[in-house]
Structures are given as structure tokens and as C-alpha cells.
Amino acid sequence: MFSPLRIEPGPLSELATQKFVRMRDGVRLATDVYLPGGDVTPGETILIRLPYDKNGEYTFIPPIAAYMMGRGYRVVAQDVRGKFRSEGETLLMVNEAADGYDTIEWITQQEWSNGRVAMWGDSYYGFTQWAAVSSQHPALRAISPRVTGTQLGEPVVAHPGDVTRRVDWAVTLMYPLTFFHSNPTYHWDLDWSKRPFTDQIEAFLAQVGQRSISYDQWYPHPVHLRRFPFGSPFEARAIPVLQTIGWWDNCAPLSWADVAEIERRPAWASNHYLRIESIDHESYGLLDRPESRVSERSPQQIEALLPGMLDPALDFFEVFVRDNGDAGRVPRVAWNLAGEEGMRTSPSWPPTGVRPVTLRAEAGGTLAVSAAPAESAAEGTAPVTPAAPGALAEPATVVAWLHDAADPVPSSVENSFAFLLDKPDEAALGRRADVIVYESAPLATHVELVGPAHATAMISSTGPSMDLFVRLLDVDEQGGALRIARGQVHLVHATTPTSVTIDLTQLGYRLDAGHRLRVHLSSSDSPEFLPQPGTGADPWSAVDTTPNTQSLTIGGPDGFSLTLSVLHGDLS
């Protein structure tokens, strides 16, 4: 039997007055109103719409609201539809655009509102900001979404003719069974050693006595959810947006996809401001002191966290919501080079001067810099320094490893959203027989990796399909290995050798002299990602597993390569 932990609403904050705001269909959403000193004089409002309990310890909204009130803002925090104290169906994504519009409209009608609204928040309550943007309410003046993306939680859907697709992320199917099952939240874990996983799901649903609408819409036959019924937010009226991305955020690929979409749209690009920090999804930092790496932060630790979380957004709102300041002085990109204190600024991303450098895997387990076609350099970047003659002369060979879903390569942290809470040393993973390792020589000087990164590989399998995971690590003089980037791809038909590209998104990392770059290649990262059973069956419902032999080409024109962007230093 399961023992799920049921999380009910926390106590109402003494700083706020709770209202029930009626939506257009009559459903009422629980809404806390925070007024600085109880002052009802009209002023600017910051709206936070979230599914994780506006009064719960996990979100610490009352101290956030108090900090914002210290800057003179009225703050409105709301449980989204179907969560905690709010009425309505518990249904992922689809009501946030209309409910966002209706809540903003309600705010503008209050005596304490001057008609100017901003929105702030992480993850799902970053998504609710983009949803509100799509509704085009004229009072919404600016947003500050952190560690999120417009395609947050989108399940993997198979399409005929796909050569590759995304790898199944376990949290996608678990989320509507935990955080979005019903009004309360349920904390419980699957036993990943027991298949099929679907049997455990059904047992959980039977025990709590209620199905999850969102789960049933996503599995086994995904229903296309109209998360933006009024149209894409990027087709809406462009407003100023301060977008925060974490170098170690597991949702960062979704954020970078939105950056790419924004760059294709001039109106949005001219209103877009980017902030990139050395944080993970839960705002743990790379340089946090050991005493700060705790799963449950104390009130004092939360207070210490607030300035870094909130000041960038509040300074942004000062200019774009209050019209107080010169917009031309707001940096287009503020970014942290991981491993250094402080922030750098640049007029664009990546900054001017980065150059692509390609490394190739060689027999013997080495990574060596090789030539790359000059035309591969991005516009505005420096040319590639050619490698020595004969750099590509090594003949092609094939390396192989066994993928066994019954003994997958383990994920390096228990909570993938809080990678830097543990800041794990991944060196031991490289000693597994099912992890292929390539490594550079020690660096003569420090190197700054800044900008896009990707890998290419020719792969195949004795099984019908195959996943390939690429982990890029910084190895110090003592042999400790810190993951600095990761990418993965699913090859749909794997019996024929196929060239694939693995996006490692973006990097902003300092490699110190004496350190080495290491690559781990594998076919699993479980349970963060569902391991392929080896039979071609759906990994969520598969009963049986069978080992597969995976193959990767090394050397020659199709050999494994890694292309990084370098701002300073030499990888050779």
C-alpha cells in the first residue's frame, strides 16, 4: 500500500486579506491581497498566480509579498483554479489564460489599484505569466518569469515519420499525480524497480479514491491541451519581459526555446531582457555555502534569499511599470559566468567574441580539438582556429555498451529540480561499464565556455529504439567531476546507424587551469528519465525488459564530436 503525504492549505497570512475572485464562468479563486501598511491609496500591483499553495511553506509567498510591499507594491497572490482554496476543476494549463485576464480585470477595479499590473514567479507561476500575456489584458505592463517555459510540462507525443524526439521525462507523468491531482498536493514516490509503472499509478488512484483529470488526458493517449486558447503569447502584444534562466535548471531547455522564439519576432525581441544565473530550479546556487544547502530553508535563510530573487524584477518593474528610470540603461543581458562572483552584462546573447570549437572523441578515450568548417561559426563570432594537419585522419571505429533497463545508469540526484542542493560528484558514474567516457588533456590556462553547445553522434542499437545521453563535466585536479551541461535524444528506429544531434543548450562556465573536460555517454538516466525497456514498448507501461547493445562511431567523418562556444582561452 502507498502512504502518500497529503498537503492541505497552510494558515492564512496575517499580512493579507483573502478574497474569492469570481471568474467569467462563476468559479471563485482564493486570492490574498497584501497592501503596504493597509494603505488603499491606488498604486502598482504585482500578481502571483501559482498551484503550490499561496499560504504554504514551500512557496514562502508571505515573506515575498512583504519584501515587495517594502518597495511600495500592492501584491496579489492567488491559488490557481482547482488548487488548495480555489474552486473549479484541477486541470493543468488550460484555464490560466482566461483566469489570468479575469484576475487582472478584477485588480483594476479595486480602489487600491492604479491600473498598472506586473507579474512575477517561478516555474508554473512563470507559465501563468505567459498565459496572461496571451490574453492581452491592457493593464499588464511587464512580467518577470523565472526558470520556466511556455511548453512547460508538454508530454512527448509520437508523430509518424519522426527520426528523433525528446526523451520521456518521468516528472511529466508524475506531476498530475502529485501536484496537480486535486486541490491538495500528494507527495509520494514510485518504486522504479517494479514494472509496469502504470499498475502503481492505478493503485495510487484507487487508494485516494479520485482520478486525475490531467493524467487521464495525458496518458495513454495524449490530448492536445489548448493552453493558449487566445493564441500564442508571442503573437500577442509585446510587453517588457525579464526572463531568468538557471545554468543548472532542468527546465532550462524550455526557457532557451522561448528565447529562440522571441528572437524570431522583432517586437518581442525589442522588449526582451535576459538574466542568466548559476542556479537550479529551486534557486540553490553553485557557490552556496554548505550550510545553505538544506532541503528545508529556515526563515532566516529565506530572508537572505529574497534580495537575489526579487531585486532584479523589482528594479525592472521600477522602469517598465512605474516609468521611473531610463530603459536604455537596463542591460539587455545580465549573466553570471559560473565559477565567478557577480554578473556580467552584454547587449546580446551570446556576447560578441565567442568562437565555436569542436572536439572529437578518439581511440583511447581522449577528447581532442579538431578543425571545424569556417562557415559553422555564428554571425559576429571569431573564426575557428584550424587544428593541426591530420586531425581527422583517425579511422572510424565502433564502441559498444550494454543498456539494461533493469540496471539503468542512475540519475545523480534524488530531486532533479534541486541539482545544486547536492552538487553531486559524478565521477563514479564514469566507472560503470554502460557509461562511455572521453576526456581532454589538462588545460594550460583557464577557459570561458560561453554560448551554445551541441554534440553529434552516429548511433545504433540491437533494440528497436535507443536513448543517448550526453553529460559534459568539469574534472578538477583531485578527480571530482561536476556536470556543467547535459542533453539527450531518443532515436525512434535504432537498428540502422543514424546521425543525431544532441542539444546541450547554452553554457556560461569557467574551466580553471589544470582542469579537464569529460564526456559521459550512456543510454539511461533513471529515474529522472524513463529508461527504454529494450523491447520497443512504451517505457511507462512496459512489463518486460531486455538488454540491448548500443553502438557509437568514433573517428572518421561521422565520429562523435562536441562543439562548444569559447569566449576566452584555449581548449587544445
Side-chain angles (χ1 to χ4, degrees):
M1 291 291 290
F2 292 90
S3 298
L5 178 62
R6 179 183 171 111
I7 308 297
E8 298 285 355
L12 295 171
S13 172
E14 295 179 353
L15 300 175
T17 301
Q18 181 173 255
K19 305 286 186 180
F20 282 87
V21 178
R22 190 176 299 276
M23 301 293 102
R24 64 189 64 185
D25 61 355
V27 169
R28 301 182 307 155
L29 304 188
T31 307
D32 286 351
V33 177
Y34 295 81
L35 301 178
D39 185 8
V40 295
T41 303
E44 297 80 16
T45 302
I46 298 176
L47 170 62
I48 306 170
R49 303 191 64 250
L50 70 162
Y52 305 122
D53 187 12
K54 60 184 174 58
N55 305 114
E57 293 182 0
Y58 171 66
T59 61
F60 48 89
I61 294 299
I64 287 173
Y67 194 93
M68 291 175 169
M69 286 193 292
R71 296 281 289 266
Y73 287 96
R74 292 92 185 101
V75 180
V76 172
Q78 183 180 77
D79 293 328
V80 299
R81 180 181 295 242
K83 287 304 301 177
F84 292 97
R85 290 185 167 92
S86 286
E87 300 173 350
E89 287 187 323
T90 309
L91 183 59
L92 277 162
M93 309 294 181
V94 299
N95 292 303
E96 309 307 354
D99 288 352
Y101 184 100
D102 293 350
T103 302
I104 295 171
E105 180 64 18
W106 176 83
I107 290 172
T108 63
Q109 296 172 4
Q110 306 309 301
E111 60 178 338
W112 39 261
S113 169
N114 67 1
R116 296 185 177 198
V117 179
M119 294 183 73
W120 174 90
D122 299 5
S123 195
Y124 194 97
Y125 41 129
F127 172 82
T128 62
Q129 296 174 59
W130 285 118
V133 166
S134 74
S135 76
Q136 303 200 64
H137 197 292
L140 185 57
R141 300 291 295 268
I143 62 172
S144 181
R146 302 175 78 250
V147 293
T148 192
T150 56
Q151 296 305 308
L152 189 71
E154 188 77 18
V156 175
V157 178
H159 299 288
D162 281 350
V163 176
T164 62
R165 59 174 179 257
R166 291 187 292 118
V167 181
D168 288 298
W169 201 19
V171 71
T172 300
L173 288 172
M174 286 300 296
Y175 189 74
L177 297 163
T178 52
F179 289 101
F180 246 91
H181 172 271
S182 51
N183 283 78
T185 283
Y186 287 96
H187 287 174
W188 65 285
D189 295 312
L190 275 178
D191 182 344
W192 298 102
S193 68
K194 295 182 178 179
R195 289 180 176 270
F197 304 136
T198 48
D199 281 0
Q200 298 182 59
I201 302 306
E202 294 303 319
F204 162 76
L205 294 173
Q207 181 172 336
V208 298
Q210 180 181 350
R211 297 201 65 82
S212 164
I213 300 171
S214 293
Y215 178 78
D216 286 341
Q217 288 193 336
W218 280 8
Y219 190 84
H221 304 295
V223 174
H224 176 67
L225 302 181
R226 296 187 64 210
R227 56 176 66 201
F228 301 123
F230 306 124
S232 165
F234 303 122
E235 295 172 354
R237 170 181 58 90
I239 64 173
V241 52
L242 175 63
Q243 182 180 11
T244 299
I245 302 176
W247 289 128
W248 278 270
D249 175 25
N250 55 341
C251 294
L254 305 175
S255 300
W256 287 111
D258 285 348
V259 171
E261 185 64 32
I262 286 169
E263 290 175 347
R264 288 190 285 267
R265 299 172 183 269
W268 271 103
S270 65
N271 282 277
H272 184 236
Y273 297 81
L274 184 60
R275 185 175 178 87
I276 321 169
E277 302 179 2
S278 295
I279 58 172
D280 59 25
H281 199 77
E282 298 286 358
S283 292
Y284 293 100
L286 177 67
L287 300 181
D288 283 353
R289 295 187 298 272
E291 60 268 23
S292 298
R293 299 182 192 278
V294 294
S295 57
E296 295 185 11
R297 295 175 170 116
S298 69
Q300 294 76 21
Q301 289 171 324
I302 290 171
E303 290 292 334
L305 192 66
L306 295 181
M309 288 182 63
L310 300 178
D311 282 348
L314 296 176
D315 292 344
F316 188 75
F317 294 158
E318 191 72 23
V319 175
F320 293 104
V321 178
R322 287 178 165 165
D323 296 331
N324 183 17
D326 181 3
R329 299 177 70 87
V330 179
R332 283 289 172 177
V333 183
W335 57 283
N336 172 248
L337 184 70
E340 291 186 350
E341 298 278 2
M343 302 291 287
R344 301 186 183 190
T345 62
S346 59
S348 62
W349 184 264
T352 302
V354 303
R355 65 190 191 278
V357 175
T358 297
L359 300 95
R360 294 184 179 274
E362 298 179 339
T366 60
L367 271 178
V369 173
S370 72
E375 61 269 22
S376 68
E379 183 178 351
T381 62
V384 179
T385 302
L392 296 180
E394 181 173 294
T397 58
V398 174
V399 296
W401 68 96
L402 192 71
H403 163 65
D404 185 355
D407 182 25
V409 177
S411 300
S412 53
V413 292
E414 182 178 352
N415 180 2
S416 61
F417 292 89
F419 181 84
L420 293 176
L421 170 62
D422 297 313
K423 197 179 174 182
D425 180 354
E426 298 195 4
L429 291 178
R431 294 192 283 272
R432 289 178 57 107
D434 52 358
V435 177
I436 307 301
V437 179
Y438 292 92
E439 187 172 279
S440 73
L443 300 174
T445 62
H446 89 268
V447 176
E448 296 177 0
L449 302 177
V450 179
H454 72 271
T456 59
M458 179 72 73
I459 58 175
S460 63
S461 174
T462 58
S465 62
M466 172 183 177
D467 290 343
L468 179 66
F469 292 83
V470 179
R471 304 189 195 197
L472 180 65
L473 305 113
D474 171 17
V475 182
D476 62 27
E477 293 94 332
Q478 290 74 43
L482 174 67
R483 185 207 304 167
I484 59 176
R486 180 183 61 177
Q488 54 280 325
V489 70
H490 175 76
L491 180 59
V492 178
H493 302 291
T495 54
T496 301
T498 304
S499 179
V500 297
T501 298
I502 304 95
D503 182 16
L504 303 178
T505 64
Q506 304 277 336
L507 276 168
Y509 189 84
R510 175 190 167 102
L511 289 164
D512 289 333
H515 286 213
R516 293 159 288 161
L517 274 178
R518 179 182 294 170
V519 173
H520 284 178
L521 305 171
S522 64
S523 288
S524 49
D525 183 348
S526 177
E528 184 174 353
F529 295 88
L530 298 178
Q532 292 300 317
T535 62
D538 167 43
W540 194 243
S541 60
V543 176
D544 299 317
T545 66
T546 187
N548 296 152
T549 298
Q550 321 287 56
S551 298
L552 171 78
T553 299
I554 301 297
D558 298 320
F560 177 83
S561 68
L562 176 70
T563 300
L564 307 175
S565 300
V566 176
L567 180 61
H568 177 82
D570 187 356
L571 285 172
S572 59

